[in-house]
Amino acid sequence: MFDFKSDPNLDPTERYRQLCEAADALTHDESDAVANMANVAALLWEFVPDLNWAGFYRVGTNAKGAPELVLGPFVGRPACIRIPIGVGVCGVAAKDATTQRVEDVHAFPGHIACDAASQSELVVPVIRDGAVVAVVDLDSPKTSRFSEEDAEGIEALAQLLSARI
Ligand code: SME
């Protein structure tokens, strides 16, 4: 049994240090990408407060063979399965290979509402050999939930996972 627990009073820097440590322990010796993403989605849910969705979209292909985001392991309500590159918060993060920290999703052009409860969102690309291979997506029912420290913490996690998912 794994028993990773997070103290709700941790400051964000220590919270993400512990999250990355737990993610490293769970993934360093496992080559199955789905297993690793599933465990990290569970860790995100455990460690990051005030979320209603936490998980991954992977860069796959559509029926014409063009790149497209495809739903990966997550915790939360069932979500849209495929997202075109460049569309919505996830699609923009994948297209531009940049973190998207959105204070109010209703003000983001093209935002895709998978859960009506979502008010703010943080999406971080996972980059391998210079190409985006997935994004980490966090949704919160609170407006302006995600700080710059949250973005930096998830970017460190994305870097750690780069060769493991
Ligand atoms: N809101 C995202 C879609 C994914 S869900 O939040 C799980 C977006 O606009 O890309």
Side-chain angles (χ1 to χ4, degrees), residues 53 57 79 83 88-90 111-112 114 121 137 139:
W53 203 92
Y57 279 87
I83 299 177
V89 186
C90 293
H111 165 253
I112 300 164
C114 292
E121 185 159 358
D137 182 15
D139 283 36

Side-chain angles (χ1 to χ4, degrees), residues 25-85:
L26 283 171
T27 63
H28 80 279
D29 206 17
E30 175 52 61
S31 61
D32 189 281
V34 171
N36 288 339
M37 286 187 279
N39 262 337
V40 171
L43 286 178
L44 287 163
W45 194 256
E46 181 70 40
F47 276 77
V48 184
D50 301 319
L51 300 181
N52 60 311
W53 203 92
F56 293 84
Y57 279 87
R58 293 165 304 138
V59 177
T61 50
N62 65 17
K64 294 178 178 167
E68 184 171 57
L69 289 174
V70 185
L71 184 63
F74 68 93
V75 181
R77 303 188 77 177
C80 48
I81 300 168
R82 290 177 176 271
I83 299 177
I85 303 293

Side-chain angles (χ1 to χ4, degrees), residues 48-144:
V48 184
D50 301 319
L51 300 181
N52 60 311
W53 203 92
F56 293 84
Y57 279 87
R58 293 165 304 138
V59 177
T61 50
N62 65 17
K64 294 178 178 167
E68 184 171 57
L69 289 174
V70 185
L71 184 63
F74 68 93
V75 181
R77 303 188 77 177
C80 48
I81 300 168
R82 290 177 176 271
I83 299 177
I85 303 293
V87 175
V89 186
C90 293
V92 169
K95 178 170 181 278
D96 297 347
T98 54
T99 294
Q100 301 294 311
R101 186 165 65 87
V102 180
E103 310 247 2
D104 175 3
V105 294
H106 306 292
F108 190 95
H111 165 253
I112 300 164
C114 292
D115 180 344
S118 298
Q119 301 298 326
S120 59
E121 185 159 358
L122 176 64
V123 182
V124 173
V126 180
I127 298 169
R128 183 165 62 235
D129 300 330
V132 177
V133 294
V135 299
V136 183
D137 182 15
L138 302 181
D139 283 36
S140 174
K142 290 188 172 177
T143 304
S144 302

